[in-house]
Amino acid sequence: MPASQNIHKLPRNVWVVTATSLLTDISSEMIVHLVPLFLSNILGVGTAVIGLIDGIAETTASLLKIYSGALSDKLGKRKWLTVAGYALSTVAKPFFYVANSWAWVLSIRFSDRVGKGIRTAPRDALLADSIESDQRGLAFGLHRAGDTLGAFLGLAGAAAIVWFTERRAEFLTIDAFRSAVLVSVIPAALAVLILAIGAREVHQTKPSAAPLLSLKGMDARFKTFLVIVVLFTLGNSSDSFIILRGQERGLNVFQIMLMAMTFNFIYAVFAGPLGALSDKIGRRRIILFGWLAYGLVYLGFAFSRTGWQVWTLFGLYGIYYAATEGVAKALIADLVPEAQRGTAYGLYAAATGFAVLPASLIAGLLWQGVGAWTGFGASAPFFFGAAMSLLAGVLFWRLVKP
């Protein structure tokens, strides 16, 4: 049956979770691409510190991704942990309005990521529990498409705010940033209400009897996949460096918002079809295709000489996300028993989150160095990322068999 027909038969929870993610990303994307510009243009922070902020926020929150997923397995409940995580992120966002130092930004980013850490694994497990295996790729692809459509709309809102407050200014202004923060709170609050009212808890066959955080009973291929994902993520630093690369190559703030919209548009267009395709030809092939796309795009960033080249490459970068984000989660659901999916998603999120700190630190140091050492320049982090994607792809192909 064609995906267009199957999509109408997806259960309620898939649509509710997708709507929640769409609204949350409208909120988040209104400010997330402005944060590195706020740090660099307004607070005068260097790339090493920007990498440190992103790395600490993601890595420390990853501890909660492990625990919340395992706890949802133990309790046999997913919904209210997910609601709590979205609510915490919503409460944290308004504090960006009064931030006046990188320490403030770090604390707010940390709180927001803690909320993400609480919700991510239970949400993904709730989604996986709600759908049959033959539509799992489609469901996760639809979720990623909704999430990314929200990002596109959020960036459109941010671009409008930037246009009306500073026109074509080369650097971000405080008025534009604060206006975006205030508007972003509205869709975030709506997302929490929709999830709390609309989602339904899925009855599991039985809560997990395995100890919290245990890998017992999980497929060896899942464990190998985790190790390979860590290696890949060491070269996958924060996308803040791509934003800064675009500005370094001549894009103004408004153009950077349009560049990010291009990325999210391509991501949204391809996430659903690639997820559905993974149901037919296998997750492994789609993930390998995505990692290959990542390596080629990162090489392009390294060699880019103009702003329009960075813009074009960032759009193509959306293909990597579309091929891997939802499909990797569908692969995990294929490999792990139902009662341990929350734990598995927590471990997966943590594996990537823990690697983000060294990845972002490495990228910042390769770019600008530290102290008297000035680093290797803006191209270096992207050469490193391309090399790590090649290594991870070879290992995945050889070690994680269908």
Side-chain angles (χ1 to χ4, degrees), residues 99 154 170 185-186 233 236 253 270 334 394:
E170 182 179 357
V185 176
I186 298 171
T233 306
N236 186 15
V253 179
F270 286 100
D334 294 342
V394 170

Side-chain angles (χ1 to χ4, degrees), residues 162-240:
V162 168
W163 175 258
F164 285 112
T165 55
E166 61 179 72
R167 297 294 176 176
R168 294 185 179 274
E170 182 179 357
F171 299 108
L172 181 69
T173 64
I174 188 67
D175 289 340
F177 182 70
R178 287 178 172 173
S179 297
V181 169
L182 291 178
V183 175
S184 74
V185 176
I186 298 171
L190 288 174
V192 176
L193 288 175
I194 287 174
L195 184 66
I197 295 171
R200 297 289 183 266
E201 196 71 73
V202 177
H203 177 71
Q204 297 183 55
T205 53
K206 60 179 180 178
S208 173
L212 288 178
L213 312 184
S214 173
L215 286 166
K216 182 180 179 181
M218 293 188 183
D219 195 302
R221 292 173 296 172
F222 169 69
K223 301 172 189 177
T224 304
F225 181 57
L226 283 184
V227 174
I228 295 171
V229 164
V230 169
L231 291 175
F232 174 82
T233 306
L234 285 173
N236 186 15
S237 55
S238 168
D239 290 346
S240 295

Side-chain angles (χ1 to χ4, degrees), residues 47 51-52 54-55 59 229-238 241 294 298 352-366 381 384-385 388:
T47 58
L52 180 67
D54 283 345
T59 300
V229 164
V230 169
L231 291 175
F232 174 82
T233 306
L234 285 173
N236 186 15
S237 55
S238 168
F241 292 101
Y294 175 92
Y298 255 52
T352 56
F354 284 141
V356 165
L357 176 56
S360 295
L361 278 175
I362 290 168
L365 292 172
L366 288 174
F384 180 72
M388 294 304 292

Side-chain angles (χ1 to χ4, degrees), residues 1 77 100 124 172 186 205 219 254 300 316 337 359:
M1 183 179 294
K77 305 289 183 181
N100 57 11
D124 291 341
L172 181 69
I186 298 171
T205 53
D219 195 302
F254 181 69
L316 295 175

